[in-house]
Amino acid sequence: MAASWPFIGRATQLAEISSASRGVVVAGPPGTGKSRLAAQAVHGLDGVAWARATAAAAEIPLGAFAPLLPATPPAGNPLGWAAAALRAPVLVVDDAHLLDPASAALVHHLVTRGGTRVIATLRSRTPVPDAVLALWKDDLVPRLELEPFSLEETEAVLEAALGGRVEAATVARLWRASQGNVLYLHELVLSGILTEDGDVWRWRGPLTITPTLRETIAGRIGELTAREREALELLAYGEPLGADLLAVLGSLDAVQHLEDRQLVTVQADGRRLQVRLAHPLYGEVIRDGCGVLRARTMMRRLAQAVTEAGLRRREDVLRVAVWRLDSGLPGDPGLLLAGCERARVVRDLELAVRLGRAAVAAGGGTPALAALGTVLFYTDRHTEAEEMYATAWAAEMTEVARTDLGVQRALNLTVGLGDVPRARAVLEETTRLAGGDGARQGILIMRAVLAALTGDVAAAEDLLARTRDLGPLSPHGERMIGGADAAVLLARGRAAECLARVAEARARLAKEPDAMRSLSAALTGYAANAALLLGDLDSAERFADEGYDLGGRFGSWTRAILEFGTAKARVLRLRGRLTDALAWARDTVARLPPTGVLAGACLGELAHAYALVGDLAAAEEALARAEATGMPIGPYVVLPLRFARAWTLAGRGDAAGAVDLCLETAESALPCDVPFALHDVVRLGRPDLVSARLAALDVESPLVALFARHAAARDGAELDAVSEGFERLGLLLYAAEAAAQAAARHREAGLWRGARAAETRAWRLSQRCQGARTLALMDLDVPGLTPRQREIAVLAAQGLTNREIAERLVVSVRTVANTLYAVYDKTGVNDRAALAAILNR
């Protein structure tokens, strides 16, 4: 960590202060860095005087300026005397809202007289002396509003302070906790909640309040009456609270005073007024100051008041369940179970597990076991979830409950434990035990989803047809089948139809915004991949961000973070932003459980990005970890590893092996993945092997059409056009590679002007690809090498002998020696070490 908190950003504000010839007033909430900004603005200037106003000095005329003035003022005009004594060309007045009237008048006089540039800071939304107010009200100096840090600014200052990268989810969590207040952010970092994991900083454990932070916030809260403290305590344990509820609790008058002091906020929510603490950390400090008995009293009062009001809002059941649990009241299984379900819906999963366990302990029986199993599934405790499901399975239950339990258990067995045969057996038994058409429809839909996940698209289509043959679907069935349809359409490569079906299904879900979060996440994932297949990277990234947010609110829905963090990394890789892709992939992989289905997808994306930047050892390490921890249940977890392995082989100089692996992958891939496998063969320099297949693909997509055009291009001009097409879609790495290939074709045809133009274009594009090192781009570093010369040069640079190269490529040793002689001649080097330096620079 840096020795001192760095000054980052605020360039626009610094420029405004520098351009203000007579001075400026910098206003902002506490902790936004007003004083630091002023100090930065005058850093390096000569003759700067500082006056720091305080509440104590405000009791004395000219108290803030006492350190700058002679000890004894003369009789007569003290204002003129003080102005004459202050000869500084620049005066900084900190916390000008605390100035006494005489000091405020002096500041006003200095500005109007001229000769002294005044930079004053003050707290916004706070009364100020009339003479200070007149500074901007009368247009004497501009007023600059300083806002809290944005999320992006928070990330920048954290990385500068910590001297390394900070996980995206950690940045977001720190930003939410601090609300962009740089002072609070600083103290949170100093509390030790961040740990360095490799080259990334992450939040680990509960939030910790340092003594300095506690004192700072306590000072901001200030003195409180007994009623004000009680109101703050109620809010600390229950926010947001309705104004009507606070009136029932006898705290509304106190809240009005707290609002005037900016310690709480009151906002309209429909016809209700909702009251919150003005900052999240106020609640942490207030709760930290409450004893156990006081805390229990507050929570019991809240539980009783909301219960007597009738649990009218959706969140009331969850809130009352938590208050009762934490206050030590006897457990109500029904209430705890309802709270568990609500916590699951809003994805506060650790809270859902707490409530689920409490419901089981309170005698909630089979429903509580099933609910606990489900939230354990969502928190990746799949073995324990199966134990809960298996125990519940033995009990008597209704047909609907049996169907729901069987479907959820099969899902856990498949995507949690990777046990597809057992999942199918559970669904078959569920069909036998739950015989109604509605139940059978739900089971058939789940079987279709699992078939699509494991790559059997034909079976999925058959199962969905059988579902519809059973008759009209229930509203729940209509929602579920929409997701299954989207999965099948995506697998078939019908991206536009998939997006239309997703939009239709999402419209149904929008009527129940808190229901079926898992289906919503699945639909978002299908949409992200369909957009990628169409070449719409902006939409794909938007869907990836949307899905990531589903898991990131509380940070406990790891599956969503893994799936959509990987999707984000893939979009960034296709954009050519390889460093950014690596950052997202590494952050995602850090959250992987010890074993799991998603290991293949996450580690495959990480290995792929490593391979493209030439870090082949790291790529191979990620692939090995995937082999050891992954569960290869279907294409979506297997194919990312195959793509990554192909590019790792290419990086090692085995272009032929990479091509063979891509061709093999295309034979077994789903239709939606075949275009990418075949296009990789084009990128690896063998369009002749796949041109006909790409042209014949039955996939309607502008991107796939461009893939086919790339494979069919036979001259430099056509490859130039392909490169431009990729650039328009935002696929900069593909654009750079096509331009590099165009340069080679132009050279072969003797079109040197075209070759130079294409090389320039390829170089420009490759510079935006954050260190990409692929075979097509290697010619930019080593101009004029043929594909075979490049292949042998890479192997030689890795230290292989001529005989080892000959054996790998199935050529003679003499051919290798002659080729290397030609490489040395073109590159101007004469040994393997120098060749490696050229290839790796």
Side-chain angles (χ1 to χ4, degrees), residues 264-502:
V264 303
T265 62
V266 181
Q267 295 178 330
D269 181 13
R271 291 181 295 177
R272 294 165 57 93
L273 292 177
Q274 294 282 66
V275 184
R276 295 179 181 272
L277 296 170
H279 197 283
L281 291 178
Y282 293 178
E284 296 287 344
V285 170
I286 293 164
R287 288 190 295 272
D288 191 53
C290 282
V292 174
L293 294 179
R294 179 71 174 174
R296 287 191 168 194
T297 298
M298 290 295 127
M299 288 186 282
R300 289 178 180 183
R301 288 182 63 192
L302 288 165
Q304 181 180 354
V306 174
T307 300
E308 290 176 352
L311 303 177
R312 292 174 294 180
R313 297 172 68 84
R314 286 177 300 180
E315 304 304 324
D316 287 347
V317 167
L318 173 58
R319 282 142 56 91
V320 170
V322 174
W323 288 328
R324 288 179 60 88
L325 180 63
D326 288 347
S327 65
L329 289 171
D332 177 342
L335 179 65
L336 290 166
L337 189 55
C340 171
E341 171 63 16
R342 188 63 197 162
R344 181 188 67 80
V345 165
V346 300
R347 287 304 186 259
D348 192 346
L349 296 177
E350 291 303 325
L351 177 58
V353 170
R354 276 188 64 212
L355 293 169
R357 294 194 193 283
V360 171
T366 301
L369 286 168
L372 178 56
T374 297
V375 295
L376 288 168
F377 162 74
Y378 283 119
T379 55
D380 300 310
R381 302 169 200 178
H382 302 295
T383 300
E384 191 178 355
E386 169 58 16
E387 292 172 1
M388 297 299 115
Y389 288 141
T391 303
W393 190 257
E396 293 293 328
M397 64 189 73
T398 66
E399 178 182 281
V400 172
R402 175 73 65 187
T403 301
D404 289 345
L405 179 59
V407 164
Q408 190 62 43
R409 187 181 181 190
L411 188 62
N412 182 61
L413 286 166
T414 301
V415 303
L417 299 174
D419 195 341
V420 177
R422 282 183 66 200
R424 289 173 177 157
V426 165
L427 289 175
E428 289 173 4
E429 186 178 359
T430 307
T431 303
R432 180 175 57 79
L433 294 174
D437 284 349
R440 282 162 49 201
Q441 284 178 323
I443 296 165
L444 286 171
I445 292 171
M446 178 51 64
R447 287 177 61 189
V449 170
L450 296 185
L453 282 174
T454 54
D456 193 346
V457 183
E461 291 170 326
D462 177 65
L463 289 162
L464 293 178
R466 288 169 56 191
T467 301
R468 291 185 166 93
D469 288 343
L470 289 175
L473 288 156
S474 67
H476 179 75
E478 286 287 358
R479 290 191 293 271
M480 291 299 297
I481 206 167
D485 284 340
V488 170
L489 289 168
L490 173 64
R492 286 295 186 202
R494 293 155 63 183
E497 294 176 69
C498 173
L499 285 172
R501 193 70 175 101
V502 166

Side-chain angles (χ1 to χ4, degrees), residues 20-44:
S21 58
R22 300 177 69 177
V24 65
V25 171
V26 181
T32 49
K34 302 180 293 294
S35 301
R36 183 71 184 276
L37 177 64
Q40 193 71 21
V42 300
H43 179 70

Side-chain angles (χ1 to χ4, degrees), residues 451-458 487-488 490-493 533 634-636 639 643 665-677 697 699:
L453 282 174
T454 54
D456 193 346
V457 183
V488 170
L490 173 64
R492 286 295 186 202
L533 184 56
Y636 85 107
L639 290 183
F643 286 125
T665 300
E667 292 299 323
S668 58
L670 294 173
C672 61
D673 294 308
V674 169
F676 292 96
L697 286 179
V699 178

Side-chain angles (χ1 to χ4, degrees), residues 494-554:
R494 293 155 63 183
E497 294 176 69
C498 173
L499 285 172
R501 193 70 175 101
V502 166
E504 180 184 331
R506 283 161 63 101
R508 287 181 182 274
L509 287 179
K511 299 173 184 177
E512 304 173 63
D514 288 330
M516 305 183 76
R517 292 290 179 93
S518 295
L519 178 56
S520 177
L523 290 168
T524 303
Y526 301 145
N529 284 304
L532 276 183
L533 184 56
L534 292 171
D536 184 356
L537 298 189
D538 290 342
S539 293
E541 188 164 6
R542 175 170 52 82
F543 286 126
D545 289 338
E546 183 181 319
Y548 193 86
D549 288 343
L550 288 173
R553 180 182 175 192
F554 294 99

